[in-house]
Structure formats: C-alpha cells, structure tokens
Short mmCIF file of all heavy atoms in Angstrom, two decimals:
data_model
loop_
_atom_site.label_atom_id
_atom_site.label_comp_id
_atom_site.label_asym_id
_atom_site.label_seq_id
_atom_site.Cartn_x
_atom_site.Cartn_y
_atom_site.Cartn_z
N GLU A 1 25.40 -0.26 10.82
CA GLU A 1 24.41 -0.17 9.76
C GLU A 1 24.49 1.18 9.05
O GLU A 1 24.59 2.23 9.69
CB GLU A 1 23.01 -0.34 10.36
CG GLU A 1 22.71 -1.72 10.89
CD GLU A 1 22.64 -2.76 9.80
OE1 GLU A 1 22.05 -2.45 8.75
OE2 GLU A 1 23.18 -3.85 9.98
N SER A 2 24.44 1.17 7.74
CA SER A 2 24.39 2.40 6.96
C SER A 2 22.94 2.82 6.79
O SER A 2 22.01 2.12 7.19
CB SER A 2 25.05 2.17 5.60
OG SER A 2 24.33 1.21 4.87
N ALA A 3 22.75 4.01 6.17
CA ALA A 3 21.40 4.56 6.04
C ALA A 3 20.48 3.64 5.25
O ALA A 3 19.28 3.59 5.48
CB ALA A 3 21.48 5.93 5.37
N ASP A 4 21.04 2.90 4.32
CA ASP A 4 20.19 2.02 3.50
C ASP A 4 20.05 0.63 4.10
O ASP A 4 19.51 -0.28 3.48
CB ASP A 4 20.72 1.94 2.06
CG ASP A 4 22.12 1.34 1.99
OD1 ASP A 4 22.67 0.97 3.06
OD2 ASP A 4 22.66 1.24 0.88
N GLY A 5 20.57 0.45 5.33
CA GLY A 5 20.41 -0.83 6.01
C GLY A 5 21.53 -1.81 5.76
O GLY A 5 21.57 -2.86 6.37
N GLY A 6 22.48 -1.47 4.89
CA GLY A 6 23.59 -2.38 4.63
C GLY A 6 24.74 -2.14 5.58
O GLY A 6 24.79 -1.13 6.28
N ALA A 7 25.69 -3.08 5.61
CA ALA A 7 26.84 -2.92 6.49
C ALA A 7 27.78 -1.87 5.91
O ALA A 7 28.02 -1.84 4.71
CB ALA A 7 27.58 -4.26 6.63
N SER A 8 28.31 -1.01 6.78
CA SER A 8 29.22 0.03 6.29
C SER A 8 30.61 -0.55 6.11
O SER A 8 30.97 -1.53 6.72
CB SER A 8 29.26 1.19 7.28
OG SER A 8 29.83 0.76 8.51
N THR A 9 31.39 0.09 5.28
CA THR A 9 32.76 -0.35 5.05
C THR A 9 33.69 0.37 6.00
O THR A 9 33.30 1.33 6.66
CB THR A 9 33.18 -0.07 3.60
OG1 THR A 9 33.02 1.34 3.35
CG2 THR A 9 32.33 -0.84 2.63
N ALA A 10 34.95 -0.09 6.08
CA ALA A 10 35.93 0.55 6.94
C ALA A 10 36.15 1.99 6.49
O ALA A 10 36.20 2.28 5.30
CB ALA A 10 37.25 -0.22 6.90
N ALA A 11 36.27 2.88 7.44
CA ALA A 11 36.43 4.29 7.12
C ALA A 11 37.81 4.55 6.53
O ALA A 11 38.79 3.89 6.86
CB ALA A 11 36.24 5.14 8.38
N GLU A 12 37.88 5.54 5.64
CA GLU A 12 39.15 5.91 5.03
C GLU A 12 40.10 6.43 6.11
O GLU A 12 39.71 7.18 7.00
CB GLU A 12 38.92 7.00 3.98
CG GLU A 12 38.22 6.52 2.72
CD GLU A 12 39.09 5.55 1.91
OE1 GLU A 12 40.31 5.71 1.94
OE2 GLU A 12 38.53 4.64 1.30
N GLY A 13 41.35 6.06 6.02
CA GLY A 13 42.36 6.60 6.91
C GLY A 13 42.46 5.95 8.26
O GLY A 13 43.27 6.36 9.08
N GLU A 14 41.64 4.93 8.55
CA GLU A 14 41.74 4.25 9.84
C GLU A 14 43.03 3.45 9.93
O GLU A 14 43.44 2.80 8.97
CB GLU A 14 40.55 3.32 10.05
CG GLU A 14 39.27 4.05 10.40
CD GLU A 14 38.16 3.09 10.80
OE1 GLU A 14 38.27 1.90 10.43
OE2 GLU A 14 37.21 3.52 11.45
N GLN A 15 43.66 3.49 11.09
CA GLN A 15 44.87 2.71 11.28
C GLN A 15 44.55 1.22 11.29
O GLN A 15 43.49 0.80 11.77
CB GLN A 15 45.53 3.07 12.61
CG GLN A 15 46.34 4.36 12.58
CD GLN A 15 47.15 4.51 13.85
OE1 GLN A 15 46.71 4.18 14.94
NE2 GLN A 15 48.36 5.02 13.72
N VAL A 16 45.47 0.44 10.77
CA VAL A 16 45.38 -1.02 10.85
C VAL A 16 45.91 -1.43 12.23
O VAL A 16 47.04 -1.09 12.59
CB VAL A 16 46.20 -1.69 9.74
CG1 VAL A 16 46.29 -3.20 9.96
CG2 VAL A 16 45.58 -1.39 8.38
N ILE A 17 45.09 -2.13 12.98
CA ILE A 17 45.49 -2.61 14.30
C ILE A 17 46.09 -4.00 14.14
O ILE A 17 45.46 -4.91 13.61
CB ILE A 17 44.30 -2.68 15.27
CG1 ILE A 17 43.60 -1.31 15.35
CG2 ILE A 17 44.76 -3.12 16.65
CD1 ILE A 17 44.49 -0.19 15.81
N ILE A 18 47.33 -4.15 14.58
CA ILE A 18 48.06 -5.42 14.44
C ILE A 18 48.32 -5.98 15.84
O ILE A 18 48.98 -5.35 16.66
CB ILE A 18 49.40 -5.22 13.70
CG1 ILE A 18 49.17 -4.52 12.35
CG2 ILE A 18 50.10 -6.57 13.50
CD1 ILE A 18 50.47 -4.13 11.64
N TYR A 19 47.75 -7.15 16.12
CA TYR A 19 48.04 -7.87 17.36
C TYR A 19 49.14 -8.88 17.06
O TYR A 19 49.06 -9.62 16.08
CB TYR A 19 46.80 -8.63 17.85
CG TYR A 19 45.77 -7.78 18.58
CD1 TYR A 19 45.90 -6.40 18.72
CD2 TYR A 19 44.64 -8.39 19.14
CE1 TYR A 19 44.94 -5.66 19.38
CE2 TYR A 19 43.68 -7.65 19.82
CZ TYR A 19 43.83 -6.28 19.94
OH TYR A 19 42.88 -5.56 20.61
N SER A 20 50.14 -8.95 17.95
CA SER A 20 51.27 -9.83 17.68
C SER A 20 51.85 -10.40 18.96
O SER A 20 51.88 -9.75 20.00
CB SER A 20 52.36 -9.03 16.94
OG SER A 20 53.49 -9.85 16.67
N ASN A 21 52.32 -11.65 18.86
CA ASN A 21 53.07 -12.27 19.95
C ASN A 21 54.57 -12.28 19.66
O ASN A 21 55.34 -12.90 20.39
CB ASN A 21 52.61 -13.72 20.16
CG ASN A 21 53.12 -14.66 19.07
OD1 ASN A 21 53.11 -14.29 17.90
ND2 ASN A 21 53.54 -15.85 19.44
N ALA A 22 54.98 -11.58 18.60
CA ALA A 22 56.37 -11.67 18.13
C ALA A 22 57.34 -11.01 19.11
O ALA A 22 56.97 -10.13 19.90
CB ALA A 22 56.49 -11.01 16.76
N ASP A 23 58.59 -11.45 19.06
CA ASP A 23 59.65 -10.83 19.83
C ASP A 23 59.91 -9.42 19.32
O ASP A 23 59.52 -9.05 18.21
CB ASP A 23 60.94 -11.65 19.72
CG ASP A 23 60.81 -13.02 20.35
OD1 ASP A 23 60.06 -13.16 21.33
OD2 ASP A 23 61.44 -13.97 19.84
N ASP A 24 60.62 -8.64 20.14
CA ASP A 24 60.90 -7.24 19.78
C ASP A 24 61.60 -7.12 18.44
O ASP A 24 61.30 -6.21 17.65
CB ASP A 24 61.77 -6.59 20.86
CG ASP A 24 61.02 -6.38 22.17
OD1 ASP A 24 59.78 -6.45 22.16
OD2 ASP A 24 61.69 -6.15 23.20
N GLU A 25 62.54 -8.05 18.17
CA GLU A 25 63.29 -7.96 16.90
C GLU A 25 62.37 -8.10 15.70
O GLU A 25 62.53 -7.40 14.69
CB GLU A 25 64.38 -9.04 16.85
CG GLU A 25 65.49 -8.87 17.88
CD GLU A 25 65.18 -9.51 19.22
OE1 GLU A 25 64.03 -9.93 19.44
OE2 GLU A 25 66.10 -9.59 20.05
N ALA A 26 61.41 -9.03 15.79
CA ALA A 26 60.47 -9.23 14.68
C ALA A 26 59.54 -8.03 14.52
O ALA A 26 59.24 -7.60 13.40
CB ALA A 26 59.66 -10.50 14.89
N ILE A 27 59.07 -7.47 15.65
CA ILE A 27 58.21 -6.29 15.59
C ILE A 27 58.94 -5.14 14.90
O ILE A 27 58.40 -4.47 14.01
CB ILE A 27 57.77 -5.86 17.01
CG1 ILE A 27 56.92 -6.94 17.67
CG2 ILE A 27 57.01 -4.53 16.95
CD1 ILE A 27 55.55 -7.12 17.08
N GLU A 28 60.19 -4.91 15.30
CA GLU A 28 60.95 -3.81 14.71
C GLU A 28 61.20 -4.04 13.22
O GLU A 28 61.16 -3.10 12.42
CB GLU A 28 62.27 -3.62 15.45
CG GLU A 28 62.12 -3.09 16.87
CD GLU A 28 61.27 -1.82 16.94
OE1 GLU A 28 61.54 -0.89 16.15
OE2 GLU A 28 60.34 -1.76 17.76
N ALA A 29 61.44 -5.29 12.85
CA ALA A 29 61.66 -5.60 11.43
C ALA A 29 60.39 -5.34 10.62
O ALA A 29 60.44 -4.79 9.51
CB ALA A 29 62.10 -7.05 11.28
N MET A 30 59.24 -5.73 11.17
CA MET A 30 57.98 -5.50 10.45
C MET A 30 57.66 -4.01 10.37
O MET A 30 57.20 -3.51 9.32
CB MET A 30 56.85 -6.28 11.12
CG MET A 30 56.94 -7.79 10.90
SD MET A 30 55.49 -8.71 11.51
CE MET A 30 55.84 -8.75 13.28
N LYS A 31 57.89 -3.27 11.45
CA LYS A 31 57.67 -1.82 11.42
C LYS A 31 58.56 -1.15 10.37
O LYS A 31 58.09 -0.30 9.60
CB LYS A 31 57.95 -1.22 12.80
CG LYS A 31 56.90 -1.49 13.85
CD LYS A 31 57.29 -0.82 15.16
CE LYS A 31 56.24 -1.00 16.24
NZ LYS A 31 56.66 -0.37 17.53
N ALA A 32 59.83 -1.52 10.36
CA ALA A 32 60.76 -0.91 9.40
C ALA A 32 60.33 -1.19 7.96
O ALA A 32 60.42 -0.32 7.09
CB ALA A 32 62.18 -1.44 9.65
N THR A 33 59.83 -2.41 7.72
CA THR A 33 59.36 -2.77 6.38
C THR A 33 58.15 -1.95 5.98
O THR A 33 58.09 -1.40 4.87
CB THR A 33 59.02 -4.27 6.33
OG1 THR A 33 60.20 -5.03 6.63
CG2 THR A 33 58.49 -4.67 4.96
N LEU A 34 57.19 -1.84 6.88
CA LEU A 34 55.99 -1.06 6.57
C LEU A 34 56.32 0.41 6.35
O LEU A 34 55.82 1.04 5.41
CB LEU A 34 54.96 -1.22 7.70
CG LEU A 34 54.34 -2.61 7.85
CD1 LEU A 34 53.48 -2.69 9.12
CD2 LEU A 34 53.50 -2.98 6.62
N ASP A 35 57.17 0.96 7.21
CA ASP A 35 57.53 2.37 7.07
C ASP A 35 58.25 2.64 5.76
O ASP A 35 57.99 3.65 5.08
CB ASP A 35 58.41 2.81 8.24
CG ASP A 35 57.66 2.87 9.57
OD1 ASP A 35 56.42 2.72 9.56
OD2 ASP A 35 58.32 3.03 10.61
N ALA A 36 59.14 1.74 5.39
CA ALA A 36 59.93 1.93 4.16
C ALA A 36 59.09 1.79 2.91
O ALA A 36 59.50 2.22 1.82
CB ALA A 36 61.08 0.92 4.12
N ASN A 37 57.91 1.20 3.05
CA ASN A 37 57.06 0.98 1.88
C ASN A 37 55.78 1.83 1.90
O ASN A 37 54.78 1.49 1.27
CB ASN A 37 56.71 -0.51 1.76
CG ASN A 37 57.89 -1.34 1.28
OD1 ASN A 37 58.11 -1.47 0.08
ND2 ASN A 37 58.65 -1.89 2.22
N GLY A 38 55.85 2.95 2.63
CA GLY A 38 54.79 3.94 2.54
C GLY A 38 53.66 3.80 3.53
O GLY A 38 52.63 4.48 3.39
N TYR A 39 53.79 2.95 4.57
CA TYR A 39 52.70 2.74 5.52
C TYR A 39 52.96 3.35 6.89
O TYR A 39 52.26 3.03 7.85
CB TYR A 39 52.43 1.25 5.67
CG TYR A 39 51.94 0.59 4.40
CD1 TYR A 39 52.77 -0.24 3.67
CD2 TYR A 39 50.66 0.83 3.92
CE1 TYR A 39 52.33 -0.85 2.49
CE2 TYR A 39 50.21 0.24 2.75
CZ TYR A 39 51.05 -0.60 2.04
OH TYR A 39 50.61 -1.18 0.88
N ALA A 40 53.95 4.25 7.00
CA ALA A 40 54.23 4.89 8.28
C ALA A 40 52.98 5.58 8.81
O ALA A 40 52.23 6.20 8.05
CB ALA A 40 55.37 5.90 8.12
N ASP A 41 52.75 5.44 10.11
CA ASP A 41 51.62 6.08 10.81
C ASP A 41 50.25 5.53 10.38
O ASP A 41 49.21 6.08 10.77
CB ASP A 41 51.62 7.59 10.60
CG ASP A 41 52.91 8.25 11.08
OD1 ASP A 41 53.41 7.82 12.14
OD2 ASP A 41 53.41 9.16 10.39
N GLN A 42 50.23 4.44 9.62
CA GLN A 42 48.95 3.87 9.19
C GLN A 42 48.63 2.56 9.91
O GLN A 42 47.69 1.87 9.54
CB GLN A 42 48.95 3.65 7.67
CG GLN A 42 49.08 4.93 6.87
CD GLN A 42 49.00 4.67 5.38
OE1 GLN A 42 47.97 4.24 4.87
NE2 GLN A 42 50.09 4.93 4.67
N TYR A 43 49.42 2.23 10.93
CA TYR A 43 49.21 0.99 11.67
C TYR A 43 49.58 1.20 13.13
O TYR A 43 50.26 2.18 13.49
CB TYR A 43 50.07 -0.14 11.09
CG TYR A 43 51.55 0.15 11.20
CD1 TYR A 43 52.27 -0.18 12.34
CD2 TYR A 43 52.24 0.80 10.16
CE1 TYR A 43 53.62 0.12 12.46
CE2 TYR A 43 53.58 1.10 10.27
CZ TYR A 43 54.26 0.77 11.42
OH TYR A 43 55.59 1.08 11.54
N MET A 44 49.16 0.27 13.98
CA MET A 44 49.52 0.28 15.39
C MET A 44 49.67 -1.16 15.87
O MET A 44 48.77 -1.98 15.68
CB MET A 44 48.47 0.99 16.24
CG MET A 44 48.83 1.06 17.72
SD MET A 44 47.61 1.96 18.71
CE MET A 44 46.26 0.79 18.68
N PHE A 45 50.83 -1.48 16.44
CA PHE A 45 51.08 -2.81 17.00
C PHE A 45 50.66 -2.86 18.47
O PHE A 45 50.90 -1.92 19.22
CB PHE A 45 52.57 -3.16 16.92
CG PHE A 45 52.99 -3.83 15.64
CD1 PHE A 45 53.46 -3.08 14.58
CD2 PHE A 45 52.91 -5.21 15.50
CE1 PHE A 45 53.85 -3.69 13.40
CE2 PHE A 45 53.31 -5.82 14.33
CZ PHE A 45 53.78 -5.06 13.27
N GLN A 46 50.04 -3.95 18.86
CA GLN A 46 49.83 -4.30 20.26
C GLN A 46 50.40 -5.69 20.47
O GLN A 46 50.07 -6.62 19.72
CB GLN A 46 48.35 -4.27 20.64
CG GLN A 46 47.78 -2.87 20.80
CD GLN A 46 46.37 -2.90 21.38
OE1 GLN A 46 45.39 -2.77 20.67
NE2 GLN A 46 46.28 -3.08 22.68
#
C-alpha cells in the first residue's frame, strides 16, 4: 500500500525474476539475447 492507499508500482531498477524449466542450452541462448540487447544484470534466472 502507498501513502494514499493505492497499490504501489514496481520499484525502478528491480531485477526481473525469470522462472524456467528450460534446458541449459535454451537458458544460455535467452541470457545471451538479453545481454546483447541491453538487459545485462537486469534479470535473474531460476
């Protein structure tokens, strides 16, 4: 809850948490894609 009673939005700079059942090859491919497009250090895979 925010001070005015409304729901707060996601905080700036928070990492995107990604849950995945993918194989290692798919995880590495997705990481490489995100890193190459400016999202390095802005996500975390579990």
Side-chain angles (χ1 to χ4, degrees):
E1 291 293 318
S2 63
D4 62 1
S8 66
T9 57
E12 289 293 328
E14 285 188 339
Q15 281 190 322
V16 171
I17 305 301
I18 306 173
Y19 281 4
S20 179
N21 74 318
D23 295 328
D24 291 343
E25 294 87 350
I27 296 290
E28 291 307 311
M30 288 187 282
K31 285 181 177 179
T33 299
L34 292 172
D35 290 352
N37 286 274
Y39 296 107
D41 302 321
Q42 297 183 64
Y43 62 87
M44 182 177 71
F45 271 92
Q46 284 189 259

